Amino acid sequence: LSLKRRLQVEFLRKHNRFPNLDLHKTYSEKIAWRKLADRDQRLPIWSDKVKVKELVASIIGNKYTLPNLWMGRNPRDIPLNELAKPYVIKTSNGSGGVTFIKKGQTIFAEKIRKEVKTHLDNPFATHTDEWPYGKISPRIIVEPMLLEHHGALPVDYKFHVFSGKTQFIQVDVGRFHNHRRDFYDPTWKKQSFELKYPMLDRSLPRPEVLGEMIAVAELLGAHFHYVRIDLYNVMNKVIFGEATFFPGA
């Protein structure tokens, strides 16, 4: 099938309706159209988990980026037992493929290396037709694990930035257990719509550093028609996660 036909079939399978990719009007149609027609050559650099850190540091400073504990290309070279726990292992050329190594965790090296190789070899660009990932040189990155003061993983804040302005803030809670997802506007008013996961039955407290997070998201998203900027708020310290141009593919 042609790329356009593949996108139409996949859209039909997910949304139970045929998309209009020529007169695209809905959010989901525009994401599908972008995979078909947008060949902005900046997207592979912004999607690369290694190169994007350098970009972000050059725009807003390296205080917003996590340091690399280790970087390489071969899973067998990762010094699993020498790195300070807790840490996470990511790959530069995909999305969502993360291996968590917790404090006190027993290292089963072969299992971990096999998992990382699977993420490294995953033809993400082919599976989801997100072409920028196919332009990225596969590399492995090890970063410190972000944790709240009580040891829990931090909340994910995802800023949907349209033409340099934050329109919605997506908040994901319990990603690995009882996943819930809320949307707020920039004034922290909870929205009434859902996306894939159910809403929480309560409103979350407004982050003390919300203004700073919005400013960071808008500085990074200023030159794109649309991008989702993912940030973390760890004890009121804002940390950049990633830039996403095709959320949910």
CSV table of all heavy atoms in Angstrom, one decimal, residues 175-194:
chain,number,residue,atom,x,y,z
A,175,ARG,N,1.5,5.9,35.2
A,175,ARG,CA,1.7,5.4,33.9
A,175,ARG,C,1.9,3.9,33.9
A,175,ARG,O,1.6,3.2,32.9
A,175,ARG,CB,2.9,6.0,33.2
A,175,ARG,CG,2.6,7.4,32.7
A,175,ARG,CD,3.8,8.0,32.0
A,175,ARG,NE,4.2,7.2,30.9
A,175,ARG,CZ,5.4,7.3,30.3
A,175,ARG,NH1,6.3,8.1,30.7
A,175,ARG,NH2,5.6,6.5,29.2
A,176,PHE,N,2.4,3.3,35.0
A,176,PHE,CA,2.7,1.9,35.1
A,176,PHE,C,1.7,1.2,36.0
A,176,PHE,O,1.9,0.0,36.3
A,176,PHE,CB,4.1,1.7,35.5
A,176,PHE,CG,5.1,2.4,34.6
A,176,PHE,CD1,5.7,3.6,34.9
A,176,PHE,CD2,5.5,1.8,33.3
A,176,PHE,CE1,6.5,4.3,34.1
A,176,PHE,CE2,6.3,2.5,32.5
A,176,PHE,CZ,6.9,3.7,32.9
A,177,HIS,N,0.7,1.9,36.5
A,177,HIS,CA,-0.2,1.3,37.4
A,177,HIS,C,-1.5,2.2,37.4
A,177,HIS,O,-1.4,3.3,37.9
A,177,HIS,CB,0.3,1.0,38.8
A,177,HIS,CG,-0.7,0.5,39.7
A,177,HIS,ND1,-1.2,-0.8,39.7
A,177,HIS,CD2,-1.3,1.0,40.8
A,177,HIS,CE1,-2.0,-1.0,40.6
A,177,HIS,NE2,-2.1,0.1,41.3
A,178,ASN,N,-2.6,1.7,36.9
A,178,ASN,CA,-3.8,2.5,36.9
A,178,ASN,C,-3.7,3.8,36.3
A,178,ASN,O,-4.0,4.9,36.9
A,178,ASN,CB,-4.3,2.6,38.4
A,178,ASN,CG,-5.8,3.1,38.5
A,178,ASN,OD1,-6.6,2.8,37.6
A,178,ASN,ND2,-6.1,3.8,39.6
A,179,HIS,N,-3.3,3.8,35.0
A,179,HIS,CA,-3.0,5.0,34.3
A,179,HIS,C,-4.2,5.9,34.2
A,179,HIS,O,-5.3,5.5,33.8
A,179,HIS,CB,-2.5,4.6,32.9
A,179,HIS,CG,-1.8,5.7,32.1
A,179,HIS,ND1,-1.0,5.5,31.1
A,179,HIS,CD2,-1.9,7.1,32.2
A,179,HIS,CE1,-0.5,6.6,30.6
A,179,HIS,NE2,-1.1,7.6,31.3
A,180,ARG,N,-4.0,7.2,34.5
A,180,ARG,CA,-5.1,8.2,34.4
A,180,ARG,C,-4.5,9.4,33.7
A,180,ARG,O,-3.3,9.7,33.8
A,180,ARG,CB,-5.6,8.6,35.7
A,180,ARG,CG,-6.4,7.6,36.5
A,180,ARG,CD,-7.7,7.3,35.8
A,180,ARG,NE,-8.5,6.3,36.5
A,180,ARG,CZ,-8.5,5.0,36.3
A,180,ARG,NH1,-7.6,4.5,35.4
A,180,ARG,NH2,-9.3,4.2,37.0
A,181,ARG,N,-5.3,10.1,32.9
A,181,ARG,CA,-4.9,11.2,32.1
A,181,ARG,C,-5.9,12.4,32.1
A,181,ARG,O,-7.1,12.2,31.8
A,181,ARG,CB,-4.6,10.8,30.7
A,181,ARG,CG,-4.3,11.9,29.7
A,181,ARG,CD,-3.9,11.3,28.3
A,181,ARG,NE,-2.7,10.6,28.3
A,181,ARG,CZ,-2.3,9.8,27.4
A,181,ARG,NH1,-3.1,9.5,26.3
A,181,ARG,NH2,-1.1,9.1,27.5
A,182,ASP,N,-5.4,13.6,32.5
A,182,ASP,CA,-6.2,14.8,32.6
A,182,ASP,C,-5.7,15.8,31.6
A,182,ASP,O,-4.5,15.8,31.3
A,182,ASP,CB,-6.2,15.4,34.0
A,182,ASP,CG,-7.1,14.6,34.9
A,182,ASP,OD1,-7.9,13.7,34.5
A,182,ASP,OD2,-7.1,14.9,36.2
A,183,PHE,N,-6.5,16.7,31.2
A,183,PHE,CA,-6.1,17.9,30.4
A,183,PHE,C,-6.5,19.1,31.1
A,183,PHE,O,-7.6,19.2,31.7
A,183,PHE,CB,-6.8,17.8,29.0
A,183,PHE,CG,-6.1,16.9,28.1
A,183,PHE,CD1,-6.5,15.5,28.1
A,183,PHE,CD2,-5.1,17.3,27.2
A,183,PHE,CE1,-5.9,14.6,27.2
A,183,PHE,CE2,-4.5,16.4,26.4
A,183,PHE,CZ,-4.9,15.1,26.4
A,184,TYR,N,-5.6,20.1,31.1
A,184,TYR,CA,-5.9,21.4,31.7
A,184,TYR,C,-5.6,22.5,30.7
A,184,TYR,O,-4.7,22.3,29.8
A,184,TYR,CB,-5.0,21.7,32.9
A,184,TYR,CG,-5.3,20.7,34.1
A,184,TYR,CD1,-4.8,19.4,34.1
A,184,TYR,CD2,-6.1,21.2,35.1
A,184,TYR,CE1,-5.2,18.6,35.2
A,184,TYR,CE2,-6.5,20.3,36.2
A,184,TYR,CZ,-6.0,19.0,36.2
A,184,TYR,OH,-6.3,18.2,37.2
A,185,ASP,N,-6.2,23.7,30.8
A,185,ASP,CA,-5.8,24.8,30.0
A,185,ASP,C,-4.6,25.5,30.7
A,185,ASP,O,-4.3,25.2,31.8
A,185,ASP,CB,-7.0,25.7,29.7
A,185,ASP,CG,-7.5,26.5,30.9
A,185,ASP,OD1,-6.8,26.5,31.9
A,185,ASP,OD2,-8.5,27.2,30.7
A,186,PRO,N,-4.0,26.6,30.1
A,186,PRO,CA,-2.9,27.2,30.7
A,186,PRO,C,-3.2,27.9,32.0
A,186,PRO,O,-2.2,28.2,32.8
A,186,PRO,CB,-2.4,28.2,29.6
A,186,PRO,CG,-2.9,27.7,28.3
A,186,PRO,CD,-4.2,27.0,28.7
A,187,THR,N,-4.4,28.1,32.3
A,187,THR,CA,-4.8,28.7,33.6
A,187,THR,C,-5.0,27.6,34.7
A,187,THR,O,-5.4,27.9,35.8
A,187,THR,CB,-6.0,29.6,33.5
A,187,THR,OG1,-7.2,28.8,33.3
A,187,THR,CG2,-5.9,30.7,32.4
A,188,TRP,N,-4.8,26.4,34.3
A,188,TRP,CA,-5.0,25.2,35.1
A,188,TRP,C,-6.5,24.9,35.4
A,188,TRP,O,-6.9,24.5,36.5
A,188,TRP,CB,-4.2,25.3,36.4
A,188,TRP,CG,-3.9,23.9,37.0
A,188,TRP,CD1,-4.4,23.4,38.1
A,188,TRP,CD2,-3.1,22.9,36.4
A,188,TRP,NE1,-3.9,22.1,38.3
A,188,TRP,CE2,-3.1,21.8,37.3
A,188,TRP,CE3,-2.3,22.9,35.3
A,188,TRP,CZ2,-2.3,20.6,37.0
A,188,TRP,CZ3,-1.5,21.8,35.0
A,188,TRP,CH2,-1.6,20.6,35.9
A,189,LYS,N,-7.3,25.2,34.4
A,189,LYS,CA,-8.7,24.8,34.5
A,189,LYS,C,-8.9,23.4,33.8
A,189,LYS,O,-8.5,23.2,32.7
A,189,LYS,CB,-9.6,25.8,33.8
A,189,LYS,CG,-11.1,25.4,33.8
A,189,LYS,CD,-11.9,26.4,33.0
A,189,LYS,CE,-13.4,26.0,33.0
A,189,LYS,NZ,-14.2,27.0,32.2
A,190,LYS,N,-9.4,22.4,34.6
A,190,LYS,CA,-9.5,21.1,34.1
A,190,LYS,C,-10.5,21.0,32.9
A,190,LYS,O,-11.6,21.6,33.0
A,190,LYS,CB,-9.9,20.1,35.2
A,190,LYS,CG,-9.9,18.7,34.8
A,190,LYS,CD,-10.1,17.7,36.0
A,190,LYS,CE,-10.1,16.3,35.6
A,190,LYS,NZ,-10.2,15.4,36.7
A,191,GLN,N,-10.1,20.3,31.9
A,191,GLN,CA,-11.0,20.2,30.7
A,191,GLN,C,-11.8,18.9,30.8
A,191,GLN,O,-11.6,18.0,31.6
A,191,GLN,CB,-10.1,20.1,29.4
A,191,GLN,CG,-9.1,21.3,29.3
A,191,GLN,CD,-9.9,22.6,29.2
A,191,GLN,OE1,-10.5,22.9,28.2
A,191,GLN,NE2,-9.8,23.4,30.2
A,192,SER,N,-12.9,18.9,30.0
A,192,SER,CA,-13.9,17.9,30.1
A,192,SER,C,-13.7,16.7,29.1
A,192,SER,O,-14.6,15.8,29.1
A,192,SER,CB,-15.3,18.5,29.9
A,192,SER,OG,-15.4,19.0,28.6
A,193,PHE,N,-12.6,16.7,28.4
A,193,PHE,CA,-12.4,15.6,27.4
A,193,PHE,C,-11.3,14.6,27.8
A,193,PHE,O,-10.5,15.0,28.6
A,193,PHE,CB,-12.1,16.1,26.0
A,193,PHE,CG,-10.9,17.0,26.0
A,193,PHE,CD1,-9.6,16.5,25.8
A,193,PHE,CD2,-11.0,18.4,26.0
A,193,PHE,CE1,-8.5,17.3,25.7
A,193,PHE,CE2,-9.9,19.2,25.9
A,193,PHE,CZ,-8.6,18.6,25.8
A,194,GLU,N,-11.4,13.4,27.3
A,194,GLU,CA,-10.4,12.4,27.6
A,194,GLU,C,-9.7,12.0,26.3
A,194,GLU,O,-10.2,12.2,25.2
A,194,GLU,CB,-11.1,11.1,28.1
A,194,GLU,CG,-11.8,11.3,29.5
A,194,GLU,CD,-12.5,10.0,30.0
A,194,GLU,OE1,-12.6,9.1,29.2
A,194,GLU,OE2,-12.9,10.0,31.1
